[in-house]
Amino acid sequence: MKVIIKKNQQEAGVEGYKVFKEAIQNGAKVFGLATGSTPVTTYEEIVKSDLDFSDCTSINLDEYVGISPDNDQSYKYFMNEHLFSKKPFKKSYLPDGLAEDPEEETKRYNKVIADNPIDLQLLGIGRNAHIGFNEPGTSFDLETHVADLTDSTIEANARFFEHVEDVPKQAYSMGIGSIMKSKKIILEAFGAEKADAVAKMIEGPVTEDAPASILQKHPDVVVLIDEAAASKLSKK
């Protein structure tokens, strides 16, 4: 792991953009993308840049079950707002939150990933060290699946909804087995509330109790964090 510590999220966003730029310069064509507040500054820097994704493919990590793409809390809506409307890709894939047959939808998405090997995967990390919606206890070998969200994840996502009971209880998620096949991974984490998870990911044992710890086994990972998220690392 290459760990980069920046003063704050704004500075880290510039560094995140540089990783994307380098990937494109090295011929990357398929990008795994994440949603939430964490990657926003990276997306802002990308939008301001001259990077061109018109010949590239994007594959998103996850999508809530039961939410339509035009719902302002859907991840499709988020991606359109923060990136796709300003930097369009040739093709952009997200799980279908309204799919009638979840099993068929996971098969479809696994085929999308198999047909489009990911060159650069962007990740955030949950307070319980989840990546995607692969909660603690998820098998490292799992591919796309319907994940039951833990209470802590529902609580963390409640800030985006009017009422906590409005937060979906399930989501489609790219599995850890799929994430680990990406050629390069960049994980971003900001704020003191992520410090425990960051320490487990970088310095803790590799265990399914801390899903992000498996990234220690990947050959090319950049961890991009601010000083607050780095505060519990023994080596800085």
Side-chain angles (χ1 to χ4, degrees), residues 59-76:
I59 304 176
N60 261 75
L61 275 171
D62 38 32
E63 178 61 282
Y64 286 126
V65 170
I67 284 189
S68 67
D70 57 357
N71 185 302
D72 64 5
Q73 293 304 323
S74 78
Y75 289 163
K76 176 69 176 294

Side-chain angles (χ1 to χ4, degrees), residues 5-150:
I5 302 172
K6 291 294 181 180
K7 184 177 180 181
N8 52 45
Q9 184 173 353
Q10 292 303 127
E11 289 187 9
V14 175
E15 200 68 34
Y17 152 73
K18 290 178 182 177
V19 174
F20 273 80
K21 180 179 180 180
E22 182 182 9
I24 285 184
Q25 290 173 338
N26 290 337
K29 292 292 185 184
V30 183
F31 294 85
L33 301 179
T35 53
S37 56
T38 297
V40 166
T41 52
T42 293
Y43 291 153
E44 287 173 350
E45 294 297 326
I46 289 173
V47 166
K48 290 190 295 187
S49 77
D50 60 358
L51 292 186
D52 181 9
F53 295 95
S54 60
D55 194 35
C56 297
T57 297
S58 70
I59 304 176
N60 261 75
L61 275 171
D62 38 32
E63 178 61 282
Y64 286 126
V65 170
I67 284 189
S68 67
D70 57 357
N71 185 302
D72 64 5
Q73 293 304 323
S74 78
Y75 289 163
K76 176 69 176 294
Y77 189 96
F78 176 99
M79 293 307 303
N80 284 337
E81 284 288 301
H82 291 280
L83 189 63
F84 295 158
S85 62
K86 307 167 184 77
K87 289 286 184 180
F89 286 70
K90 179 175 66 175
K91 183 71 178 176
S92 291
Y93 294 99
L94 289 96
D96 179 2
L98 296 181
E100 292 186 9
D101 187 334
E103 186 175 343
E104 284 303 311
E105 179 60 9
T106 58
K107 287 180 182 177
R108 179 190 76 86
Y109 215 63
N110 282 329
K111 187 173 188 308
V112 166
I113 298 166
D115 291 346
N116 300 275
I118 295 170
D119 295 306
L120 175 64
Q121 175 67 59
L122 173 62
L123 299 174
I125 187 171
R127 297 175 191 175
N128 59 7
H130 72 240
I131 47 176
F133 276 121
N134 296 288
E135 302 280 16
T138 303
S139 168
F140 285 150
D141 298 323
L142 203 60
E143 294 186 317
T144 305
H145 59 286
V146 175
D148 294 322
L149 308 189
T150 64

